[in-house]
Structure formats: structure tokens, C-alpha cells
Amino acid sequence: MGAAAVRGLAVVALLLACVAHAARPYRGGAVATAYPQASAAALEMLEKGGNATDAAVAAAFVAGVVGPYHSGIGGGGFALVHDGGSGETKVLDFREVAPKAATRDMYVKDGKVVPGLSTDGPLAVAVPGAVAGYLQLLKEHGKLPPSVVLAPAISAARKGIWVTPRYHTMANGRLECLRRDEEASRIFLVKSAEGTLELPPVGHVLKQPDLARTLEGLAKGGARAFYSGRVAKAIAGTVRAGGGVLTVEDLASYKTRPRQPLEGSYRGHRILTMPPPSAGGVAVLQVLGTLEKLRPQGFTFKDPEALHLYVEAVRRAYVDRAKYLGDPDFSDVPTARLVSSGHLADLAGSIDPKKATLSTSLLPQAAGVQGSTLTDKPAVLTPEPERKNTTHISVIDKDGNAVALTTTVNYGFGSCVVAKGTGVLLNDEMDDFAAQPGVPNAYGLVTGEPNAIQPGKVPQSSMSPTLVFSREDPKRVMLAVGSPGGSTIPTTVIQVISHVVDSGMDVARAVNEGRVHHQYLPDELWVDRWGLEPATLTALEARGHKIRRVEQWGDAEAVFVDPKTGLRYSASDPRNEGMALGQD
């Protein structure tokens, strides 16, 4: 696809983002991603005879080129892959891990967490897993060779991408961080007439020849070309030179982790989602399960009484997250109990239908934790739109194979560190650990001892790639969905599922609907600009909820299969610049 065609797709996507449209039907495969170029690459793979995995991996590689503020080969992620023939679903955890030299208190000085150490610069970098994950998915589940699947990403890096409004906003939020790294500045910023490093203007073309060479190496040499040799030495050398702890040995020893999908149900629909170290998947099943117990006949999302119950269910899910969730290979995570019917009944029974629960009454020790005491001015931050991270890809092909893949470099532009000569922008995933148990991270999330830093450990994650199955056929995927948004990811996924299942919404409207979010601490109910009507807000405030208006968040990407007709419908969140495509 030529540069002019790609720009045309992007313009169309921006125009479509202004209003919500009903999703159009497709008879073949369908895809939804956050970038027109990534969706086009996925569709190209389907047209070449590839399956959902080929399409998702091609989209993931392209996403890392055109949206470096969200994802890339210096990051990591999770994927659910469903085989439409056998009905089997596989889960791959290719999340980053802590380097061997990481220590529990590496971000603590004089007993306090040092702001910025876990988000900006080389010390924030965890061992990347994206390359190993993408190529393993392709090898085990794809049909096309790497040279074909990586070709769109290589072309995008070599020919260049144009700076979109989203790029401009995200780079502005990380401008000072990017300026501190010579390679990142050279690639992602421009010099003004006065010689200062500034944001590139919208429409400016950014070429990434170093990244193109690295991707060509992966197409020819596989994951080994990233985890050993020139690229690995450049990554480790850059990190170590800046005071980080990642080594060549860390890269050489990186391994992905196959896991069992976390299973639940909602109103007769089987649901598979991501297990720990994802805390998001647990939250998805807990909240939906609690809602079904509280409202067995159905759930009307904008009804104040029902919405109060939803908020209280979410609050309790995030309390469980703070208490129990972490890497199951390092901690005894009681996953089965947390999503059991008995525990969900306990959660439902603890909710006062008329009054909001004070968060610190559910986890009292949090009231004395540094940074989480709630006063008139909350000590933790509401996420800023320009700093949001992560991206999601949903694909269902003509044969019913499905992929839900969420991938990230964590904060916007990750650590802002680019490995010299490689074009590889590195993550700042170490911030997803508890730098000090009980102290909020960049998203205001409070996590506990199970998420403390340890060498080789996977940090807790909010990423929640999820598959919802047809009620009539529990082996047939009806909905593939996921979203970025840090701590808001699980609630975005929950709301899309509820809109489709409870309200029967068209999938395009489901991802477009206004959103609400609670995460235990800060003890606030976040409502986006389209979220709720004034009367509903007033009713919630009367029940004791503290409302905070937030501009917007999330970027839900979903593909829906009509159980009656088999037609596919794809939808990309109109809040951003994505595109939903499919095969006629």
C-alpha cells in the first residue's frame, strides 16, 4: 500500500471518528485496530490466505512503527488465540520481566519512592517480550512466512509515517522525557530554527531506517536476531550506559510463558480472558459475575440503581487486585477462589444497594500508606489523556479463528530510551511493579506484596484481551475485545461486553458509549464527557459517590460475529484514529 493510500485511510478514519456509525457487515474475516495502517496490514494478510494470527501479528508489528507511543518491539503483551476448527483457545504471556539485577527497593531512596525513576530513562526498562511473543504466535498458529507478515511494518518504517494529531498529543505529554535521550530525540522530534528539539508538526513524515533494518533482521533470522547479536548488545549497552540494569544475558534468557485461559460466564455466554499476571482478566470475570448475581434478569447500564451496583462491584474487584494479584510463578495467587461463585456471592452480598462504600473500609491498612491517604486533594493522579498507553488488536477470520492481542510499552513512548542504531524504543514496564507495596504507580494503582519487584518476575498488568462465545455454541467466538488505558482497561472491556450482551447494542455503538471507572483508590468515580446524564450523576452523588469528570480514555477494538447469520462486524473506538476493516 502506497504512502498516499495510507494517508487517505488515516484521513477517512479521522473523519469517521467524529461520529458513531453502525458497523457494516462482512462475510469474510474482520479486524479492528487503533491505526489504519495496522488494520490495512491485517486485511492484506487475510487476502493473501493468512488466518487471524497472521493478521494480528502483522498488525502488531505495524502498530509498533506507526504508534510508538503505545507499543513496539521493545515492549510486551498478552494474546488469546482461538482455533475455529478444534474449538481450543491458547494463551500466550509475552509480557516483559524484571532484569536479573533488579532489586526490591531500586526506586526507593531514604525510605521514599523517587518519582520518575520507574517511568523515565534506562532504569525503568524491563526485558522486552514482544518479538518473542509475536514470532512464537506466528510459528505455532500462523500460515504465512515471517517475510510476508513483517513486510508492511518494514515498509512503513522505511517509507515513513506522518505525524497525526494523536502522535502530536502523546509526544507533547512526554516531550521532556524524549528530549533527554539522544536517539529518541533524533527519531521522534525535530530541530527548530533555533536548534531546540521540538514536536514535529502534524503532517510531518518520520522515517525510521534503523528500525526497518532491525525488522528485516527479524524477518530473516527470527527472534534470535533480537535477543542475541548486534541488536541485543545495542539494547543492553544503551541501557547500562544510562544507569539501567538490563544485560545481554537477560535478553538471551527471555522466555514466553504459555498459560491456561481464565474462564467464566455471563448470562449464558462462555468468557475466556487473560489469567494472572493479568489482574484485568480477574476483574472482568469478577465484575460481570457479581452483576449477574445482583441483577439476574438483566442489567441496564445507565440506570442509577444498577450503575451504583456496578461501581461497587468494580471497587471490590480492585481491592482484591491490591491484596492478591501478582505473578503466579512467584506468589500464591488464589485465582480460582477469586472468580468462584462463592466469592462472587460474597462480593455481591457486601454491597449496600443504597450507599457507596468507603474504599478504605474494605482495605483499612491502605489509609495509612504513603500516597494513598484520601483528602480533599487526592494524592494519586487521574490519568492524563496524552499519556495513555498500550494498544489492542481484535481479529476473527472467515473460518472462525480469533485473536485478541493487547501489547504495550507501558507509559507513552515507554522509557523514552531508544537502543542506539536499532530504532528499538524500550518500555518502562518496571513501573507496573509495586516500587513500594501500597504506593500508587503512574496510574494511581495501589498494589501489594505479591507485586513487589523480584528478578525474573512479570509485573502485574491491567491488559484484558477477552473472547466472548456464542450462547448457542460455546466453542464459537461471538466477540473479541480489548482496549488500552492502563488501570481503566478492565472497566472498558466490561462495559463493551455488557453493552453487547445486556443491551444488544451494535458493536460500533458499544465501543462508542460513554464510560465510567472506579479503581478503589483514589476513592472517586471517573466519568468521561459522554458518560452519564446530569440526573444520573446527581443520583450517584446522593448515594455517596465522589464524581470526577475526565475528558476521555480507552481505545476499544472489537469484532463481533452475529450468531444467527455468521456475518462479522468490526468496530474501532471513535475516540481515536483507528479503523475497522473486513473482507466482503
Side-chain angles (χ1 to χ4, degrees):
M1 179 173 289
V6 169
R7 291 185 191 181
L9 281 173
V11 171
V12 170
L14 291 174
L15 292 173
L16 290 175
C18 297
V19 292
H21 290 268
R24 60 155 293 185
Y26 295 105
R27 290 176 292 183
V31 57
T33 85
Y35 314 96
Q37 303 95 320
S39 295
L43 184 60
E44 181 183 341
M45 297 305 113
L46 295 178
E47 295 288 355
K48 287 179 180 290
N51 60 19
T53 298
D54 297 307
V57 171
F61 275 114
V62 170
V65 176
V66 302
Y69 40 84
H70 283 156
S71 67
I73 60 174
F78 297 143
L80 276 71
V81 180
H82 177 75
D83 187 311
S86 68
E88 187 176 14
T89 302
K90 300 281 191 179
V91 171
L92 188 64
D93 169 3
F94 51 96
R95 182 109 158 111
E96 304 90 329
V97 301
K100 291 183 176 64
T103 62
R104 178 186 175 89
D105 297 323
M106 62 192 290
Y107 303 115
V108 178
K109 186 176 181 180
D110 299 328
K112 294 183 179 181
V113 175
V114 180
L117 277 186
S118 64
T119 57
D120 303 354
L123 195 61
V125 179
V127 187
V131 169
Y134 298 165
L135 294 180
Q136 183 175 337
L137 290 171
L138 194 62
K139 181 179 179 180
E140 295 181 355
H141 306 288
K143 296 169 62 179
L144 301 175
S147 59
V148 173
V149 175
L150 270 75
I154 294 167
S155 177
R158 193 167 295 287
K159 293 180 180 178
I161 61 169
W162 69 283
V163 173
T164 67
R166 172 57 55 186
Y167 180 105
H168 203 266
T169 300
M170 296 292 291
N172 186 54
R174 295 290 271 163
L175 182 57
E176 293 306 317
C177 182
L178 290 168
R179 281 173 171 166
R180 289 194 287 270
D181 186 81
E182 183 178 351
E183 285 285 276
S185 298
R186 180 177 64 82
I187 297 168
F188 301 120
L189 303 177
V190 294
K191 280 191 177 181
S192 68
E194 293 76 25
T196 59
L197 292 164
E198 303 294 347
L199 298 174
V202 172
H204 178 82
V205 175
L206 290 175
K207 296 184 179 182
Q208 301 176 71
D210 290 341
L211 181 57
R213 284 192 292 273
T214 298
L215 291 170
E216 287 172 339
L218 302 183
K220 295 175 183 176
R224 183 180 303 176
F226 184 89
Y227 292 97
S228 64
R230 179 187 70 87
V231 174
K233 290 177 182 176
I235 292 172
T238 299
V239 170
R240 302 285 290 188
V245 297
L246 185 147
T247 66
V248 169
E249 290 72 28
D250 286 318
L251 290 161
S253 61
Y254 180 85
K255 289 182 174 58
T256 61
R257 297 155 296 279
R259 301 194 186 273
Q260 290 299 311
L262 190 59
E263 182 167 354
S265 66
Y266 187 58
R267 308 202 188 281
H269 294 274
R270 178 175 175 239
I271 296 177
L272 295 181
T273 188
M274 195 69 202
S278 168
V282 173
V284 168
L285 295 188
Q286 283 189 317
V287 174
L288 290 174
T290 302
L291 289 181
E292 189 165 11
K293 290 185 179 297
L294 290 167
R295 286 287 189 271
Q297 302 307 315
F299 180 79
T300 303
F301 194 80
K302 290 192 176 181
D303 172 69
E305 291 185 7
L307 191 54
H308 165 74
L309 299 177
Y310 163 79
V311 174
E312 291 302 307
V314 170
R315 185 196 307 271
R316 284 154 175 78
Y318 278 75
V319 168
D320 276 353
R321 173 182 182 142
K323 290 167 65 175
Y324 301 115
L325 273 294
D327 185 344
D329 295 334
F330 284 76
S331 304
D332 184 15
V333 180
T335 306
R337 182 179 70 80
L338 292 176
V339 298
S340 67
S341 179
H343 185 64
L344 298 182
D346 290 341
L347 295 180
S350 72
I351 294 173
D352 184 336
K354 300 297 184 183
K355 184 180 178 182
T357 306
L358 184 67
S359 284
T360 50
S361 72
L362 297 173
L363 193 57
Q365 62 265 40
V369 168
Q370 174 194 344
S372 63
T373 301
L374 296 175
T375 63
D376 290 337
K377 295 181 71 175
V380 290
L381 300 176
T382 299
E384 301 171 52
E386 69 269 17
R387 294 187 175 183
K388 286 177 192 162
N389 63 355
T390 311
T391 198
H392 180 81
I393 295 159
S394 290
V395 187
I396 301 178
D397 66 24
K398 63 181 178 60
D399 297 316
N401 303 304
V403 175
L405 185 156
T406 313
T407 183
T408 186
V409 288
N410 197 37
Y411 222 29
F413 286 93
S415 63
C416 304
V417 174
V418 174
K420 193 167 185 177
T422 68
V424 178
L425 177 66
L426 297 168
N427 68 82
D428 62 341
E429 208 61 68
M430 293 300 290
D431 186 65
D432 271 1
F433 285 111
Q436 231 178 15
V439 176
N441 71 357
Y443 301 97
L445 277 173
V446 176
T447 59
E449 192 62 37
N451 196 39
I453 300 170
Q454 287 180 257
K457 192 175 187 179
V458 180
Q460 186 190 105
S461 174
S462 295
M463 294 187 291
S464 312
T466 299
L467 300 175
V468 180
F469 291 77
S470 167
R471 187 185 286 114
E472 294 77 15
D473 184 351
K475 290 187 176 183
R476 182 182 179 187
V477 174
M478 182 185 79
L479 178 69
V481 63
S483 177
S487 59
T488 68
I489 291 173
T491 53
T492 298
V493 170
I494 291 163
Q495 288 169 68
V496 173
I497 293 172
S498 175
H499 293 327
V500 170
V501 173
D502 287 311
S503 303
M505 282 187 190
D506 173 274
V507 70
R509 183 175 177 187
V511 304
N512 176 67
E513 280 290 290
R515 296 185 181 130
V516 298
H517 172 76
H518 201 294
Q519 60 180 50
Y520 156 57
L521 292 178
D523 199 343
E524 300 169 339
L525 175 57
W526 298 343
V527 181
D528 78 13
R529 63 185 295 189
W530 303 286
L532 300 172
E533 293 77 12
T536 305
L537 293 173
T538 299
L540 289 169
E541 287 176 327
R543 284 176 165 79
H545 295 284
K546 182 179 179 181
I547 307 294
R548 173 172 285 195
R549 302 307 294 263
V550 180
E551 181 65 17
Q552 63 181 37
W553 65 80
D555 192 352
E557 307 293 334
V559 177
F560 173 80
V561 181
D562 188 321
K564 295 180 180 178
T565 66
L567 293 173
R568 278 86 166 127
Y569 298 81
S570 53
S572 182
D573 201 318
R575 291 165 180 80
N576 292 291
E577 299 172 352
M579 177 170 279
L581 296 173
Q583 293 176 295
D584 291 320

